[in-house]
Amino acid sequence: MNQTLGTVGEKTVILVNGVPASGKSSVAVRLSHHFALPYLTVDGIKEPFMHCFPQLDRQLNRTLGRAAYQAIWAIVAQAPAQCVYVIDAWFGFQPKDDLRRYLQQAGVTQVVEIWNQVSGELAAARYAARLHQRAKGHPGAEYLPELRELARRATPMALGPVLRVDQSQPLDMPRIITWLQSALSASVSTDSRSSAANSTTDSSYRLASR
């Protein structure tokens, strides 16, 4: 079932955020399909390039990840103002100020975030179970202790409304969809009232204030 979102010409990004193996890709793909929205992911851009290298160490993996992250925002920047993107990433692997800058440069005027909360043990268990499925060049079992600690201290970007999804519980997509529709509709309504009250105010970048 395809539904629309009340973005009314706003260039919008839905950040589906969480540490590796937090369950974010399952959420992002379902949202993309439900609303018929384009879906961008760091791994989706990075992995074809990973296959070009016979040897790939952790540093090169990170370099490709940063390049893929930049590519995502270059794609968003080229899109018309009314476009809405679902972006699946562990956004915490780069500084929050970088994300702010990319959003501004891309002309994004509306951002919401779905934060996939997961314990270190659950993230590590999921990651370990998928080791045989991951593309060559991704960290292996040696990454599990680091992932446990990362999950313990990770937090959302919080540059707009945030929905926290407890990944230790069954996934409630109707709740996520309803929240997303409400958050975006409320944002558009608020922006419209602000514009009517003060038509001279520059509202092209409102992300940090939400």
Side-chain angles (χ1 to χ4, degrees):
M1 176 182 180
N2 293 341
Q3 295 182 350
T4 58
L5 291 168
T7 56
V8 193
E10 300 265 11
K11 184 179 283 191
T12 301
V13 293
I14 302 165
L15 308 181
V16 185
N17 192 10
V19 301
S22 62
K24 60 187 180 295
S25 294
S26 295
V27 174
V29 169
R30 293 188 193 188
L31 288 176
S32 174
H33 289 173
H34 184 86
F35 292 108
L37 297 175
Y39 166 63
L40 296 172
T41 172
V42 168
D43 280 353
I45 294 173
K46 178 177 72 170
E47 287 182 355
F49 295 95
M50 292 170 63
H51 297 316
C52 297
F53 295 90
Q55 299 294 327
L56 189 66
D57 60 18
R58 184 77 180 277
Q59 185 56 46
L60 182 53
N61 185 312
R62 287 172 170 165
T63 298
L64 291 174
R66 289 191 293 270
Y69 192 61
Q70 293 172 9
I72 283 175
W73 298 114
I75 292 167
V76 175
Q78 295 172 15
Q82 67 271 22
C83 283
V84 182
Y85 283 95
V86 176
I87 303 179
D88 165 7
W90 160 227
F91 289 91
F93 90 108
Q94 293 291 282
K96 185 184 290 190
D97 285 346
D98 285 2
L99 177 57
R100 286 194 181 100
R101 184 177 73 256
Y102 287 136
L103 290 166
Q104 189 167 22
Q105 291 173 348
V108 174
T109 54
Q110 187 168 226
V111 59
V112 295
E113 180 178 1
I114 298 172
W115 172 249
N116 293 273
Q117 185 72 44
V118 66
S119 69
E121 290 306 315
L122 180 55
R126 288 177 173 177
Y127 193 95
R130 300 171 192 167
L131 281 174
H132 66 287
Q133 300 173 348
R134 296 185 65 78
K136 182 181 177 181
H138 283 292
E142 75 282 357
Y143 177 62
L144 297 179
E146 181 181 338
L147 178 57
R148 291 187 185 94
E149 174 60 20
L150 181 65
R152 186 188 66 79
R153 55 183 172 80
T155 57
M157 292 289 100
L159 296 178
V162 178
L163 174 67
R164 294 175 181 265
V165 175
D166 183 353
Q167 283 282 347
S168 68
Q169 301 299 317
L171 191 58
D172 187 350
M173 285 305 300
R175 170 177 171 260
I176 295 171
I177 289 165
T178 298
W179 177 87
L180 188 57
Q181 291 171 317
S182 177
L184 291 177
S185 296
S187 177
V188 169
S189 176
T190 299
D191 292 341
S192 298
R193 290 195 298 270
S194 297
S195 178
N198 186 1
S199 61
T200 64
T201 299
D202 180 5
S203 60
S204 62
Y205 188 60
R206 300 179 297 276
L207 303 173
S209 63
R210 293 187 184 159

